[in-house]
Amino acid sequence: MKKILILGGTRDARIIARNLHRSGHDVTTSLAGVTQTPQQPDGKVRIGGFGGFGGARGLGAYLSEQAIDVLIDATHPFAAVISRNAEAAVHMTGVRHLRFERPAWEMQAGDTWIEVENVAAAARVLPQGSRVLVTIGRKEVAPFLKRSDLSGLIRSIEAPDEVLPPGWCVLLERPPFTVEDEIALLRDGGFSSLVSKNSGGDETAAKLVAARHLGVPIVMVRRPVKSGGERVTSVAELAVRLAIFP
Ligand code: NAP
């Protein structure tokens, strides 16, 4: 039985927590506390940043105090700061570090992707007067709202903080989404572009199929590079690695 800390906030993290909890490990999931009503993982849960001592040091102190054997970073591919902190914290403490990285989506025949490095660049490349479906979460929508020639819809789990200018509205929805619903949303909303992060995974991939079907171009934000730890790309691979190299 291992004492495991999972850095979570994703569906993958919940699946990992459930599997390891059922296997008899002592599992705690750490959530950032950014959503008001997070979905509860199995096992124990702690909420909020480790920032008392400045991120990495706070996490390092937690790993030592709680005598954690394994740290599993299963945060979202775009949560770059916490993953950097995890890398530094395990460096300080020597705790085993597994980094779960679900594969990125790849462009397929029939897709039109404009790949960009970050959200600000995504807002810059949109053609003048675009009507945009923005699916990048609630936190980084400001660059789109600042462009007075754009209009559209922000779909997120919780509402953005910004006051929306005329021509914009919010749709609060939690994945998974179906291809049929995504086609209806894109078509009926008259969107000329879709903006997405390259999050990977199945839960939100239906929008890619819908955009391909309707010929809607996607502005795709590339992932930040994460490094360190033992990289695993599936829940099954993680289980095997923990079983073979306990
Ligand atoms: P971030 O920019 O990498 O992290 C910002 C700060 O939030 C970190 O420095 C840390 O604070 C705290 N934090 C982040 N994840 C944490 C966790 N699992 N447990 C405890 N503290 C955490 O992260 P973010 O992009 O704001 O994402 C926050 C959470 O939402 C993550 O858990 C991520 O998996 C989830 N999420 C993010 C996205 C996205 O697109 N970014 C999408 C879906 C879910 P301290 O420095 O004080 O420790």
Side-chain angles (χ1 to χ4, degrees):
M1 196 267 289
K2 296 277 179 203
K3 210 164 172 196
I4 298 175
L5 178 67
I6 300 172
L7 299 173
T10 58
R11 178 168 168 265
D12 295 320
R14 286 195 299 281
I15 294 169
I16 292 166
R18 188 185 63 208
N19 292 350
L20 295 177
H21 179 69
R22 284 186 184 164
S23 308
H25 295 289
D26 178 351
V27 179
T28 301
T29 297
S30 174
L31 300 173
V34 286
T35 50
Q36 302 293 317
T37 53
Q39 290 173 286
Q40 290 300 309
D42 290 352
K44 292 176 257 180
V45 178
R46 67 158 300 285
I47 296 184
F50 298 91
F53 305 100
R57 282 184 58 208
L59 176 54
Y62 181 92
L63 295 175
S64 301
E65 281 157 18
Q66 299 294 321
I68 300 293
D69 300 306
V70 182
L71 173 68
I72 299 175
D73 178 0
T75 54
H76 192 268
F78 281 80
V81 179
I82 186 69
S83 296
R84 262 201 315 274
N85 289 352
E87 198 180 352
V90 295
H91 191 67
M92 288 180 236
T93 56
V95 168
R96 184 173 180 193
H97 176 200
L98 288 157
R99 186 166 51 82
F100 181 87
E101 193 174 282
R102 62 188 187 215
W105 293 317
E106 289 180 9
M107 214 185 327
Q108 295 186 20
D111 284 338
T112 306
W113 286 14
I114 300 131
E115 292 190 89
V116 294
E117 291 309 311
N118 52 45
V119 169
R124 277 199 303 273
V125 299
L126 285 164
Q128 186 77 13
S130 294
R131 182 159 167 76
V132 198
L133 176 58
V134 179
T135 62
I136 57 163
R138 60 179 281 275
K139 286 199 299 185
E140 298 173 271
V141 296
F144 302 95
L145 304 179
K146 277 190 192 136
R147 268 191 59 178
S148 57
D149 61 304
L150 301 180
S151 63
L153 185 138
I154 292 157
R155 179 175 65 191
S156 51
I157 295 175
E158 290 180 357
D161 294 334
E162 286 79 2
V163 177
L164 298 185
W168 284 94
C169 52
V170 172
L171 175 62
L172 299 182
E173 277 186 338
R174 200 188 274 276
F177 305 111
T178 66
V179 171
E180 292 71 27
D181 286 349
E182 296 294 62
I183 289 176
L185 177 65
L186 266 176
R187 187 194 50 218
D188 300 346
F191 296 106
S192 55
S193 299
L194 168 69
V195 178
S196 174
K197 290 176 172 174
N198 194 334
S199 302
D202 301 333
E203 258 203 321
T204 57
K207 63 187 169 187
L208 310 182
V209 182
R212 188 177 310 134
H213 179 78
L214 296 171
V216 172
I218 303 179
V219 178
M220 185 66 80
V221 183
R222 286 200 187 95
R223 296 170 168 204
V225 175
K226 296 195 184 193
S227 56
E230 301 165 52
R231 178 173 173 267
V232 292
T233 57
S234 70
V235 173
E237 189 188 350
L238 180 93
V240 167
R241 202 171 262 268
L242 279 175
I244 295 179
F245 306 107

